Every structure is written in C-alpha cells, then in structure tokens.
Amino acid sequence: EALFAYVVAGAFHFFGETALVLRSVAAAFGVAGVLTIGHLGRRFGVWTGVAAAAWAAGSLWLICVSRDGMRNTVVPFFGALALIALLNWVARPGRISALLAGGVVSVASLYTYQPLKLLPLLAVVWIVWLRHSDRARYNELRSGLVPFAAAFLVVAAPMIAVAMTDPISYFGRAAAVSTFNPDVAADASLPIHILKTIAMFGFTGDGNGRHDIGFLPLLPLPLVALAALGVWRLWRNRDDPSHSLILLSLGVFMIPPLVATEGWSPHFLRVLGMAAPLGVTIGLGAAELVEQVRRRAGRWRRPGAGLAIATVAVTLAAVAVWSGWTYLSRPVADRYTAYSYEIAAAGQYAADHPSSVVIIDAFSGTNIEFLQWANPPTIVSPGSRIDHPDAYATIVAMTKADLTTAVGAELGNRAQPVAWDPSGKPAVWAVAP
C-alpha cells in the first residue's frame, strides 16, 4: 500500500521530515476526499452532492481518519475517484473512458489500503448486474472491457510483481486478521462481531482511540434514518447504472469489516471503502426526504419542502459542530495510550540525552525512529542483555522490569521514572550508568 508513503516522501523532501508535515498530508487527503465525495454525489443532483459533502466534512469518523497521519486517509478520496471513473465510463462508453476507468480503479485498488482491493470485484459484479438489468447499456460497454482490463493490468504490474515475489508480505496482513485464521485475536465470536459491526450504524463504536472517540457509532441515528431512505431510493432505481453501482458498493465494502475479526468490533478503518458510497446514500436520503414531504404535503407543499430542507441542513450542521467539539475537547487521558504518548516521551528523553539506548519492541520503536529521525537512539528489544551499559549516556525503558533485565539488579534498582501517564503511574524509566 505504497501510494500514501510516496506522497509523504515527496512532502518530506520539500517541507521537512516532521510529524506536522505527515499529518498535513493526511489532512489534505481528507479535504480532497470531502470534495470528491461531493463531486460523486453531484452525479445524482446538486442537492445530493451538497448533502454528501456536508456529511463527509462533518463526520467524526472521517475527521479521526484524516488526523491519523496513516495511509488509510487516502481511501475516501480514491474510493470516490474510482466510482466517478466507472460512472464516467458508463455515461460515455468508449475506449478512452474505459482506459481511464481501468487505470484509476487499478491505482485505487492496489496502492491505497486493504478495503479498496475489492474494487475489481465491485466492477465485475456491477458489469454482470448491467448485463441482466440493462442489456443495451451493457452492449455499449462491451467494446471497452478489453481496454479497461488492459489499463488495469498495466498500472497494476508493479504491485502484481510484488505480490508474486513476496506473497507473504502482500497477502499476510489480510490473512492474519481474517476470521478464517484460527489464531486471530478477536474481541468477540463471529456472530457477535457481525452484530456489533452492523450496529455501528447508530449504536456501537470502535474501541481504538485513533479511529473513534468514546465508542461512538459510525453514524448517529438521525443520519442512519437518512441513509435508510437513501438505500430505499437506490433499490427503487436499481436498474439505473449509477444507482446500482452505489447500491452494490455498500454491500461489497461491508465484506472487509465483517470477515476481518482481529481487533475491535466494529473496526472503523475496514469500513472506509464504504465512505464514498455512504456519503452519496445519505445525500440521496436527504433528496428523498424532501421529495416525500413535497409529494405528501398537499397545498403546504412549498413550506413543507422548505422545512424538510432546513431540517436536513440543521441536522448536518449540528453533527459537524458536535463532531468537531467532541474531537477537539477529548482529554489527554483518552488519547494517551491510543496515540503512544509514553513512547514519544521515551524517545524525547533519549533525544535530550544523546548517545542513549531505549529498550522497546521493534514495532513501537519505529515511532521513536520517526520522531527522532535526525539522531535516533539505539533500540534494544525487551529481554535483551546490555553487556556494556556504560557505553550509553542513559538507558530508557517502558518498565523498570525491562530495564533491570537488560542491565542487572544493581543498576536497575537505581532507575527512576521520568514520565507519567495521566493517572500518575510511571510510564517511562531511565538510569544513567
């Protein structure tokens, strides 16, 4: 999933290797995702596009993702872009539109984040759907199937080579988190996992503090109602290629969060493939609500429709304000472990004492190596023995036990806490030989 890393590398080259630049790239992708989801929604009408963009801009889920500084922040943008390319192909059948759609779908599928790997499946299912629901439109697309596949394979070639030469790295993560892995570390049985994942629409939330805040649901209940209206509208117009693509997207992109049981249930990052079609669905639900009120209000049609529009606008604005306030007012205690404050503190202490060593696992140590990239400390795995501790200015560890194991009881007993968690418990220990 290299694309985000490539963009970050370019930003580092021009603006410097800092956490601010990393998060700025992620935030820029987040803003681009809002605009692209809005553009996708405009394919169904201006009102739908505005409502879709308004939801994306104020979604607590997408705000968290955009601030993470991780590769998954690209998904709403590239997911929407791929759907736009497919809709452009069906609206203007031809070789050029097919080539463009194949290339964009390939980039979005293979170079972004795991859920979008199902885009090729979505394209195939959608084309088969068209063959049965709109044979004339399918016949128009048939001449573009070969150019679409050719463009997809050309763009995919580097990643296909990686998958063939290093299949463990390429397929390993997906296999490790799947319910089909008997050793998967899940927080619930498969039936409970499925129920909790479906209940994220209005009721359950992700326990990972980077993806969510306080176990809040993916959508609040008022937006669940709008989304339900949108699904009804999509189903009613399922013979239309645009509506069927969005409808099928909702089903296809529910597969990753349902079959990947590792970690919390639900897992909001694995739902990200649904961000773009969900935005359109909410926009369509808003349009459906206004139309239903206009149709049923009789002589009060105009004021009724105006009231419905105002209700949707106020709801989206209220959700946006609530999301921003909830995100920005979260106390440090709720962010401490999720954002690895203690690891950053250990790295900073080592940086303040040059020629130090930090006892920490290799995975967590990458945080320190990134933050202290200009002069990183030595990293030693917990359980290892440091034979010559006097070679270092200080020895830093996350627990006193790890430090004592590394340097022995005599020196380890001299260790003192140098950082504390919000409850006052020592989080980082250090000793100078």
Side-chain angles (χ1 to χ4, degrees):
E1 303 158 342
L3 187 56
F4 182 70
Y6 294 156
V7 177
V8 169
F12 279 179
H13 175 75
F14 290 104
F15 304 109
E17 298 91 338
T18 67
L20 176 61
V21 172
L22 173 67
R23 290 184 179 274
S24 296
V25 172
F29 270 116
V31 173
V34 171
L35 297 175
T36 313
I37 289 172
H39 184 66
L40 174 65
R42 281 179 63 89
R43 299 296 179 109
F44 300 84
V46 174
W47 172 236
T48 299
V50 170
W55 165 76
S59 167
L60 180 62
W61 171 38
L62 299 188
I63 289 172
C64 289
V65 170
S66 297
R67 298 269 302 190
D68 243 4
M70 294 176 65
R71 65 195 183 280
N72 40 64
T73 189
V74 306
V75 172
F77 170 70
F78 279 101
L81 202 64
L83 294 178
I84 289 171
L86 289 171
L87 292 182
N88 181 66
W89 179 28
V90 78
R92 301 175 183 83
R95 182 174 299 175
I96 300 301
S97 60
L99 287 169
L100 182 62
V104 171
V105 169
S106 185
V107 170
S109 300
L110 301 178
Y111 297 89
T112 55
Y113 185 57
Q114 297 281 352
L116 289 188
K117 287 181 180 176
L118 293 182
L119 271 170
L121 172 63
L122 171 63
V124 170
V125 172
W126 178 57
I127 290 170
V128 172
W129 181 289
L130 290 180
R131 187 174 184 273
H132 291 279
S133 65
D134 191 342
R135 194 58 176 261
R137 190 66 60 92
Y138 168 77
N139 289 334
E140 291 178 346
L141 292 180
R142 283 184 62 183
S143 62
L145 293 178
V146 172
F148 177 91
F152 184 96
L153 292 174
V154 168
V155 174
M159 195 59 78
I160 291 173
V162 171
M164 293 176 64
T165 57
D166 192 2
I168 294 178
S169 292
Y170 188 78
F171 297 105
R173 176 63 179 167
V177 304
S178 167
T179 187
F180 304 107
N181 173 17
D183 298 322
V184 67
D187 72 335
S189 63
L190 181 59
I192 298 300
H193 164 80
I194 291 173
L195 288 174
K196 290 174 70 176
T197 299
I198 295 172
M200 67 187 172
F201 298 107
F203 300 99
T204 59
D206 190 335
N208 189 321
R210 293 194 307 274
H211 314 159
D212 192 12
I213 296 173
F215 290 88
L216 293 172
L218 192 78
L219 292 181
L221 284 171
L223 295 187
V224 173
L226 280 183
L229 281 174
V231 170
W232 181 44
R233 187 183 182 105
L234 287 168
W235 178 254
R236 205 172 62 231
N237 296 286
R238 60 190 179 277
D239 290 337
D240 173 73
S242 300
H243 287 76
S244 63
L245 179 62
I246 301 301
L247 184 63
L248 291 169
S249 297
L250 296 175
V252 167
F253 290 122
M254 269 298 287
I255 296 173
L258 290 175
V259 303
T261 53
E262 182 264 348
W264 292 96
S265 303
H267 193 295
F268 282 1
L269 297 187
R270 294 172 189 150
V271 194
L272 276 172
M274 193 185 286
L278 183 59
V280 174
T281 303
I282 290 171
L284 288 171
E288 182 68 22
L289 175 64
V290 173
E291 290 181 13
Q292 289 289 338
V293 170
R294 183 182 288 120
R295 188 178 301 120
R296 298 169 186 273
R299 63 192 183 94
W300 301 101
R301 180 179 306 171
R302 290 188 64 183
L307 179 61
I309 292 172
T311 300
V312 171
V314 169
T315 299
L316 291 171
V319 169
V321 171
W322 169 78
S323 296
W325 180 84
T326 301
Y327 187 90
L328 295 174
S329 65
R330 182 171 36 160
V332 172
D334 292 344
R335 293 178 277 138
Y336 189 84
T337 300
Y339 283 94
S340 305
Y341 276 56
E342 67 277 28
I343 297 173
Q348 187 60 55
Y349 189 86
D352 293 339
H353 300 78
S355 301
S356 293
V357 59
V358 180
I359 302 168
I360 194 169
D361 66 274
F363 181 78
S364 300
T366 58
N367 292 282
I368 295 175
E369 291 170 338
F370 170 72
L371 292 171
Q372 309 301 333
W373 65 271
N375 189 23
T378 301
I379 302 295
V380 172
S381 298
S384 301
R385 178 77 179 181
I386 299 177
D387 294 325
H388 301 286
D390 54 353
Y392 302 101
T394 59
I395 301 166
V396 185
M398 313 309 293
T399 68
K400 189 173 183 179
D402 284 344
L403 204 153
T404 301
T405 299
V407 299
E410 182 178 353
L411 184 57
N413 287 334
R414 288 169 40 199
Q416 297 294 322
V418 295
W420 295 260
D421 68 18
S423 70
K425 179 182 177 181
V428 181
W429 294 77
V431 64

